[in-house]
């Protein structure tokens, strides 16, 4: 290391000496030039500082890389990605992949599981957090105190603890499989291994029905736009939610009847220890997701509260003067303005949520971090796997913040 | 009329007693319309149900596991015959910080009085109101104690807090102005009792001596003549080096941190993480604002990379890759040391972003005025920009401290037995295996984390109000 830096310093010194000599020659040949000497010339100094910094970073990196290569070749570690096609030797809960499937497939399944935590949890966290944030500002003393206790509790304990605590409570609160809790006439299944919910299963013409629903959705959007335009032009109440949903439901029902019942509702059942029908999730997934939602909601609630408080008091008073009730006041006056303020910090919370989903392995849910930790246990090459892990999270972060920034740009008022 | 006078006047104008009776209060705050009445009744039932349930649970649960593992939760596997080190260092810290903070409070009080502001002498009751969660947690823990020493120690500790606050307040002004260096020295001595006088401790003692000497000498020798400039630059270095040699030579054997654990380790890791992340973070923040593309690019990539990946992946890096980065001739450091390196870099990236925010809050005119008066770039940063930026980010730094305090629970996942880990360890002991007492241990852990984090977050809000950040 020291040797390297010394060598670098010598090279830089020679370069500097050459440049000074060049400057001397030039300034003596052109007597009218009032160029400063190199050690006072900001252009030269800027360049020199950057070359020095680059040299330092480069030599440090090179040094670490040399150590790394020496150590990895000592223990005979190959630094390629050929191992991705080998059988993984791990099995993932709730997944047809067995231990003979390639590592590549196990990793893809891990990414999918991470995505499942994110895509279900973030909307739930936003909804719960918004409700609690509003509750904190309620005039009802009890409601606002309960919301405050909730926020202060979850904000001040580690997220890992929240997840493990949720998991422990689920484990103790739900019965074992053989005496599963079957509420609502056996349409749900809850036990300490798995939760089951009713779902739909496609029958004849299900593909055609999906197309019809999609068309219905397009029609609903068209109706929505038509009602909005009408409202803008004539001022008649638009009722666009009512009209839009009505269009969608009407078209779907017509399609359902015309195609002769293209899908059925199935309820989950346990037949010979196998879950049949419905949609089921393993308990750790539910625990992780709910734990993360509870934790993130406490942060979202604070953001929402702050953004509501940031809305000008005159807006609320104007709403009162127009005789809006408290729901209308929130829906049409306060929340649209507050949301604009709340959105940038919310993006930050989404990113935190994504990163915190990496703690799911603590309760045995195999998302990407869990899969990779399992693979470490199989003594698979750590450097490559860790690189994959970090790249996956960086991609998730980048995509989320890109989407967030896009929405944010649409939200902000232009020209203020 | 000055602001204070106005404040005084409005305080006088406030009604002496409000005319709300309890019945009126209940009507106004709980039953002011039908909707709220329904909410109140429903929530009231739920709250009563939950409270009854949790009291039933607390009464019915076996708390033996906490009693048996009390020491594990607090200090982990710290050997019994070395425990005196912990007690000594704790009392040293209590003493110096009690005296130091009381002295600083007295200085601020005098300052305020001099300027004719309203100042109140901080009372012990006030302190109790601010730190009750931590005190309650300590009391809870002591109540689980099976032996006498912890009880005696904690009572003596509370006595020491009271005594040191009183002493600190009563000190003469000339000594009170030395509060900060005194606290720094107290911390170093406390650390030396724990970890011995060699290596890192000697080095940090040297650095602290250097910083203290630099600030002291630069105040005394202000001139620009060669002699005072030489004293100003050379003096601190000599003093720092001498301190390093002396501390190193004392030869007080310590106790490596590989056997540390429990809440002690969690608190220690947090403090070390922030303290070592701070200087790196400041450099990264300045680097990110640099106009030189190479330096700026490096800082941006580092900060964004660290902030973009979860801490757990960095900890996995520390346990699987970091050992491979040391030269083959060097023995790799232990797990905790490697984890601390990564935590320092992790917190540095977050601190850098906080400080960058503070730097952006300093008006550009400040820098331009400094440039106009001919200050060098380093001097502008050190004397003009940084003091203003750092003052603005104190609350955010406390927030970062809290979040690092919570995040240190993750080092459990790479096999370091800190506070969180002992909840699982306790349940795997033969006596408690299969009794599913996880809820008991996790709730104790939760109370522990909560009491510290909540106290700190309240403190940060108080600081924010005091510093008037965001209010101009």
């Amino acid at each position: 290391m020291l040797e390297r830096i010394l060598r670098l310093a010598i090279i830089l010194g020679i370069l500097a000496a050459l440049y000074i000599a060049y400057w001397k020659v030039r300034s003596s040949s052109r007597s009218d030039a009032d160029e400063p000497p190199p050690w006072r010339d900001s252009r030269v100094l800027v360049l020199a500082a950057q070359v020095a910094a680059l040299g330092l970073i480069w030599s440090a990196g090179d040094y670490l890389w040399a150590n790394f290569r020496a150590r990895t070749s000592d223990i005979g570690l190959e630094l390629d990605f050929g191992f991705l096609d080998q059988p993984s030797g791990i099995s993932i809960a709730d997944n047809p992949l067995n231990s003979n499937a390639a590592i590549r497939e196990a990793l893809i399944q891990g990414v999918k599981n991470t995505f499942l935590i994110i895509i279900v949890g973030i909307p739930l966290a936003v909804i719960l957090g918004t409700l609690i944030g509003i509750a904190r500002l309620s005039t009802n003393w009890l409601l606002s105190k309960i919301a405050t206790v909730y926020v202060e509790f979850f904000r001040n304990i580690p997220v890992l603890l929240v997840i493990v605590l949720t998991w422990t409570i689920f484990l103790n609160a739900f019965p074992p499989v053989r005496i599963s809790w079957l509420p609502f006439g056996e349409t749900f299944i809850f036990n300490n291994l798995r939760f089951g919910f009713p779902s739909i299963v496609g029958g004849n013409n299900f593909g055609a029905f999906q197309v019809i629903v999609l068309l219905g959705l397009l029609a609903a959007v068209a109706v929505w736009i038509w009602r909005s335009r009408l409202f803008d032009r004539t001022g008649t109440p638009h009722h666009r939610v009512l009209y839009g949903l009505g269009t969608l439901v009407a078209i779907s029902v017509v399609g359902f009847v015309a195609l002769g019942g293209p899908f059925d509702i199935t309820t989950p059942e346990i037949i010979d220890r196998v879950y049949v029908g419905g949609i089921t999730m393993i308990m750790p997934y539910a625990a992780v997701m709910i734990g993360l939602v509870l934790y993130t909601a406490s942060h979202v609630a604070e953001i929402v509260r702050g953004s509501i408080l940031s809305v000008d008091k005159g807006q609320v008073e104007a709403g009162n003067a127009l005789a809006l009730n408290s729901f209308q006041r929130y829906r049409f006056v306060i929340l649209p303005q507050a949301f604009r303020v709340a959105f940038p910090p919310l993006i930050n919370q989404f990113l935190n949520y994504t990163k915190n989903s990496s703690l799911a392995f603590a309760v045995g849910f195999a998302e990407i971090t869990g899969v990779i930790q399992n693979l470490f246990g199989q003594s698979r090459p750590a450097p490559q796997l860790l690189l994959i892990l970090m790249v996956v999270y960086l991609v998730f972060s980048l995509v989320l913040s890109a989407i967030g920034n896009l929405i944010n740009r649409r939200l902000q008022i232009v020209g203020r | 009329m000055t602001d204070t006078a106005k404040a005084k006047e409005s305080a006088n104008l406030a009604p002496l007693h409000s005319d709300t009776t309890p019945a009126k209060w209940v009507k106004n705050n709980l039953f002011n319309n039908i909707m709220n009445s329904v909410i109140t009744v429903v929530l009231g039932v739920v709250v009563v149900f939950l409270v009854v349930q949790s009291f039933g649970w607390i009464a019915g649960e076996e708390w033996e596991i906490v009693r048996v593992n009390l020491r594990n939760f607090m200090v982990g596997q710290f050997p019994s015959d070395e425990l005196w080190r912990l007690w000594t260092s704790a009392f040293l810290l209590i003493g110096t910080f009690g005296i130091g903070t009381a002295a600083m409070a007295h200085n601020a009080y005098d300052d305020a009085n001099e300027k004719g502001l309203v100042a109140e002498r901080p009372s012990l009751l006030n302190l109790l109101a601010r730190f009750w969660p931590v005190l309650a947690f300590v009391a809870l823990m002591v109540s689980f104690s099976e032996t006498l020493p912890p009880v005696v120690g904690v009572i003596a500790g509370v006595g020491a807090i009271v005594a040191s606050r009183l002493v600190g307040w009563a000190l003469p002004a000339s000594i009170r102005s030395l509060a900060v260096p005194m606290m720094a020295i107290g911390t170093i001595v406390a650390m030396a009792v724990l970890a011995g006088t060699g290596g890192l401790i000697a080095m940090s003692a040297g650095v602290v001596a250097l910083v203290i000497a630099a600030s002291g000498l630069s105040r005394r020798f202000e001139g620009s003549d060669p002699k005072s400039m030489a004293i100003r630059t050379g003096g601190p270095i000599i003093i720092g080096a001498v301190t390093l040699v002396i501390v190193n030579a004392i030869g007080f054997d310590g106790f490596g941190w590989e056997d540390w654990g429990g809440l002690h380790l969690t608190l220690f890791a947090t403090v070390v993480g922030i303290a070592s992340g701070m200087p790196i973070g400041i450099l990264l923040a300045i680097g990110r604002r640099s106009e030189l593309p190479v330096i700026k690019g490096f800082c941006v990539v580092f900060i964004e990379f660290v902030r973009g990946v979860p801490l757990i992946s960095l900890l996995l890096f520390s346990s699987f890759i970091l050992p491979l980065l040391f030269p083959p001739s060097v023995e790799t450091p232990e797990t905790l040391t490697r984890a601390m390196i990564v935590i320092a870099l992790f917190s540095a990236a977050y601190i850098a972003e906080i400080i960058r925010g503070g730097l952006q809050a300093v008006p550009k005119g400040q820098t331009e005025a400094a440039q106009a008066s001919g200050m060098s770039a380093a001097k502008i940063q050190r004397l003009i920009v940084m003091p203003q930026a750092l003052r603005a980010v104190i609350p955010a730094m406390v927030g970062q401290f809290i979040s690092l305090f919570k995040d240190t629970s993750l080092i459990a996942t790479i096999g370091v037995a800190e506070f969180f880990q002992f909840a699982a360890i306790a349940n795997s002991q033969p006596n408690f295996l299969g009794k599913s007492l996880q809820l008991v241990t996790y709730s104790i852990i939760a109370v522990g984390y909560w009491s510290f984090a909540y106290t700190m977050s309240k403190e940060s809000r108080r600081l924010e109000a005091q510093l008037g950040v965001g209010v101009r």
Side-chain angles (χ1 to χ4, degrees):
Chain A
M1 182 76 184
L2 207 66
E3 200 181 305
R4 235 168 246 282
I5 292 176
L6 212 66
R7 223 183 296 160
L8 198 75
I10 292 171
I11 296 172
L12 289 179
I14 293 171
L15 279 178
L18 280 177
Y19 187 82
I20 290 171
Y22 165 70
W23 169 75
K24 282 257 179 202
V25 172
R26 204 175 57 174
S27 60
S28 63
S29 66
R30 289 198 319 204
S31 53
D32 59 324
D34 54 349
E35 252 185 44
W39 54 90
R40 285 190 198 284
D41 187 340
S42 65
R43 286 166 308 168
V44 177
L45 288 180
V46 162
L47 195 69
Q50 298 203 62
V51 169
L54 203 61
L56 208 66
I57 295 167
W58 175 77
S59 55
D62 194 47
Y63 170 75
L64 292 177
W65 180 246
N67 289 342
F68 181 67
R69 286 318 300 262
R71 289 232 176 196
T72 47
S73 65
D74 269 2
I75 55 175
L77 189 68
E78 301 276 344
L79 292 181
D80 61 5
F81 286 89
F83 71 95
L84 285 179
D85 293 321
Q86 293 168 6
S88 63
I90 58 169
S91 55
I92 298 176
D94 208 18
N95 197 274
L97 287 183
N98 59 18
S99 53
N100 288 326
I103 291 180
R104 189 190 301 277
E105 287 167 37
L107 290 175
I108 290 172
Q109 192 53 46
V111 174
K112 278 185 189 162
N113 281 346
T114 299
F115 186 70
L116 268 183
I117 300 179
I118 296 171
I119 199 72
V120 180
I122 286 183
L124 287 180
V126 171
I127 295 168
L128 183 63
T130 309
L131 290 179
I132 292 170
I134 295 173
R136 269 197 87 171
L137 295 169
S138 162
T139 51
N140 187 319
W141 181 84
L142 189 62
L143 184 61
S144 84
K145 276 292 171 252
I146 289 175
T148 308
V149 167
Y150 175 92
V151 168
E152 292 296 356
F153 177 73
F154 280 101
R155 264 159 57 91
N156 288 315
I157 60 175
V159 58
L160 182 58
L161 185 57
V162 178
I163 292 173
V164 175
L165 211 53
T166 317
W167 180 77
T168 312
I169 290 173
F170 280 8
L171 198 65
N172 290 319
F174 290 109
V177 185
R178 62 199 151 71
I179 45 168
S180 292
W181 182 41
L182 309 166
F184 304 113
E186 309 201 347
T187 48
F188 291 81
I189 295 180
F190 289 102
N191 59 51
N192 61 13
L193 292 179
R194 197 175 274 273
F195 299 164
F197 302 92
S199 134
I200 56 170
V201 62
N204 296 334
N205 301 328
F206 190 56
F209 179 70
Q210 281 174 319
V211 172
I212 289 177
V213 171
L214 201 68
L215 289 177
L217 205 63
L218 288 177
V221 171
V223 167
W224 179 292
I225 294 171
W226 164 60
R227 293 304 302 183
S228 307
R229 292 249 174 94
L230 194 71
F231 170 70
D232 287 345
R233 225 176 35 241
T234 63
T236 20
H238 51 64
H239 296 305
R240 53 189 175 199
V241 178
L242 214 62
Y243 273 82
L245 273 180
T247 313
L248 179 62
V249 170
I251 292 178
S252 305
V253 168
V254 168
F256 186 85
V257 174
L259 292 172
F263 69 83
D264 290 314
I265 293 174
T266 67
T267 53
E269 277 179 280
I270 309 176
I271 300 170
D272 291 337
R273 295 194 197 160
V274 178
Y275 290 79
V276 182
I279 184 168
T280 63
M281 56 172 83
I282 53 173
M283 191 277 274
Y285 169 73
V288 165
M289 207 196 55
I290 292 173
L292 283 172
V293 166
L294 291 176
Y295 178 82
T296 309
S298 69
H299 289 77
V300 171
E302 278 302 89
I303 294 170
V304 168
R305 188 178 72 108
S307 66
I308 289 176
L309 286 177
S310 79
V311 174
D312 192 18
K313 212 176 169 189
Q315 298 282 331
V316 182
E317 289 163 354
N320 275 334
L322 291 173
L324 301 182
N325 66 27
S326 78
F327 173 77
Q328 289 171 323
R329 227 169 33 234
Y330 266 103
R331 166 67 187 79
F332 298 110
V333 181
I334 301 171
L335 285 184
Q337 298 184 59
F339 194 61
R340 203 172 284 144
V341 178
F343 200 72
L346 276 183
I347 300 175
N348 225 351
Q349 283 310 316
F350 300 161
L351 294 177
N352 284 344
Y353 182 97
T354 308
K355 287 187 277 173
N356 287 338
S357 73
S358 66
L359 301 177
F361 75 90
V363 294
F365 182 64
E367 39 68 77
I368 183 71
T369 314
V371 170
I372 282 185
Q373 282 216 323
N374 276 338
L375 289 172
F376 282 163
Q378 303 276 324
S379 46
R380 299 293 173 180
Q384 293 95 310
L385 284 174
L386 204 55
L387 188 69
I388 293 173
L389 179 66
M390 287 174 166
V391 168
V392 165
Y393 280 108
L394 284 177
V395 168
F396 268 123
S397 298
L398 282 178
V399 169
L400 256 179
S401 59
I403 295 173
N405 288 334
L406 208 71
I407 297 173
N408 197 25
R409 215 170 304 148
R410 295 288 303 273
L411 277 179
Q412 299 309 319
I413 293 177
V414 183
R416 239 201 339 203
Chain B
M1 203 191 300
T2 61
D3 283 349
T4 25
K6 261 186 205 162
K8 268 183 185 167
E9 181 139 311
S10 66
N12 288 339
L13 287 177
L16 290 175
H17 58 89
S18 57
D19 54 353
T20 45
T21 59
K24 256 189 193 167
W25 183 90
V26 167
K27 187 169 184 323
N28 285 338
N29 291 293
L30 294 175
F31 298 101
N32 53 351
N33 58 35
I34 298 168
M35 177 81 172
N36 267 347
S37 306
V38 173
I39 291 176
T40 304
V41 170
V42 172
L43 284 180
V45 170
V46 170
V47 167
V48 168
F49 174 76
L50 284 179
V51 168
V52 169
Q53 283 281 310
S54 15
F55 269 109
W57 178 73
I58 289 170
E61 203 53 84
E62 272 187 67
W63 295 90
E64 184 64 21
I65 188 166
V66 183
R67 228 163 272 140
V68 172
N69 283 292
L70 183 62
R71 217 177 85 188
N72 280 342
F73 282 133
M74 294 298 106
V75 297
Q77 299 293 314
F78 212 91
S80 311
D81 49 348
E82 301 277 0
L83 271 180
W84 63 270
R85 290 180 191 274
L86 276 182
W87 284 113
T88 316
S89 65
F91 275 98
L92 267 168
L93 286 177
I94 288 176
T96 43
F97 274 79
I99 293 174
T101 52
M104 279 161 71
H106 197 166
N107 288 344
Y109 175 76
D110 283 356
D111 245 29
N113 272 343
E114 219 167 84
K115 289 174 186 156
L117 299 173
V118 198
E120 257 180 76
R121 187 184 161 166
S123 67
L124 285 169
L125 220 60
N126 189 298
L127 221 58
L128 186 73
R130 273 163 57 193
F131 293 96
W132 70 264
V134 170
L135 292 174
F137 174 67
V138 172
L140 176 69
M141 288 288 106
V142 165
S143 75
F144 281 116
S145 170
E146 286 173 318
T147 53
L148 206 53
V151 182
V152 176
V154 167
I155 292 173
V158 172
I161 293 174
V162 174
S164 62
R165 290 288 298 189
L166 292 177
V167 169
W169 188 270
L171 283 176
S174 56
I175 301 177
R176 271 192 273 122
S177 61
L178 298 174
V180 174
M182 193 187 66
M183 287 194 283
I185 292 169
T187 311
I188 295 276
V189 175
M191 281 310 304
V193 171
L194 263 183
T197 51
L200 274 175
I201 303 296
M203 212 158 85
S204 35
V207 170
V208 167
L210 193 148
V211 170
I212 293 173
S215 78
L217 289 176
S218 72
R219 213 172 296 158
R220 183 83 40 97
F221 299 93
E222 276 174 343
S224 56
D225 54 306
K227 193 185 152 201
S228 33
M229 267 172 79
I231 293 177
R232 252 203 337 255
T233 49
I237 295 174
I238 295 170
I239 293 175
V242 169
T243 313
L244 199 156
V245 171
I246 291 175
V247 174
N248 219 347
I250 292 173
F252 182 75
D253 270 345
F255 186 70
W257 66 8
E258 283 307 309
D259 286 331
W260 294 10
L263 182 61
H264 169 233
L265 177 60
T266 294
L267 289 171
F268 179 80
T270 312
V271 173
V272 169
I274 289 286
S276 49
M278 187 88 173
I280 311 172
I282 292 177
L283 290 181
L284 282 172
I286 296 174
R288 192 169 180 166
R289 281 166 61 88
S290 160
E291 280 158 13
L292 314 181
V294 171
I295 294 171
K296 183 178 179 175
F298 175 77
C299 293
V300 169
V301 168
F302 179 84
I303 293 172
E304 292 307 326
F305 171 75
V306 172
R307 282 161 46 91
V309 299
L311 176 58
I312 184 73
S313 68
L314 294 171
L315 287 171
L316 290 174
F317 174 86
S318 89
S319 87
F320 289 99
I321 313 296
L322 201 56
L324 301 174
L325 297 181
F326 289 93
S329 52
V330 178
E331 201 180 328
T332 51
E334 312 230 26
T335 316
L336 181 56
T337 315
R338 280 183 272 136
M340 287 315 302
I341 294 173
V342 162
I343 285 181
L345 294 176
F346 171 81
S347 63
Y350 283 81
I351 290 172
E353 282 300 276
I354 293 174
I355 290 178
R356 190 167 72 108
L359 290 173
Q360 276 169 354
V362 178
K364 209 157 189 264
Q366 296 282 327
T367 319
E368 287 164 357
Q371 279 167 343
S373 53
M375 294 172 100
S376 71
K379 238 183 183 169
I380 295 173
Q381 284 294 341
R382 192 163 54 86
L383 297 176
I384 306 296
V385 178
M386 269 299 156
Q388 299 185 55
L390 291 183
R391 183 170 163 274
V393 300
I394 289 174
M397 290 295 300
V398 180
Q400 180 58 31
F401 191 87
I402 297 169
S403 89
L404 189 65
F405 173 68
K406 294 190 293 173
D407 283 342
T408 50
S409 59
L410 294 191
I411 56 177
T413 60
I414 56 165
V416 176
E418 46 68 79
F419 193 39
F420 179 76
Q421 181 77 335
F422 273 105
I425 292 177
N427 275 295
S428 61
Q429 288 164 345
N431 292 352
F432 305 107
L433 197 63
K435 282 194 176 174
S436 25
L437 293 172
Q438 281 89 351
L439 216 49
V440 175
T441 48
Y442 284 131
S443 43
I444 286 290
I445 299 283
V447 172
Y449 275 109
W450 181 84
S451 61
F452 281 92
Y454 180 66
T455 308
M456 283 188 280
S457 73
K458 271 206 314 187
E459 280 301 286
S460 104
R461 258 170 273 166
R462 203 180 64 95
L463 272 173
E464 205 164 335
Q466 229 174 37
L467 294 170
V469 177
V471 183
R472 287 196 174 259

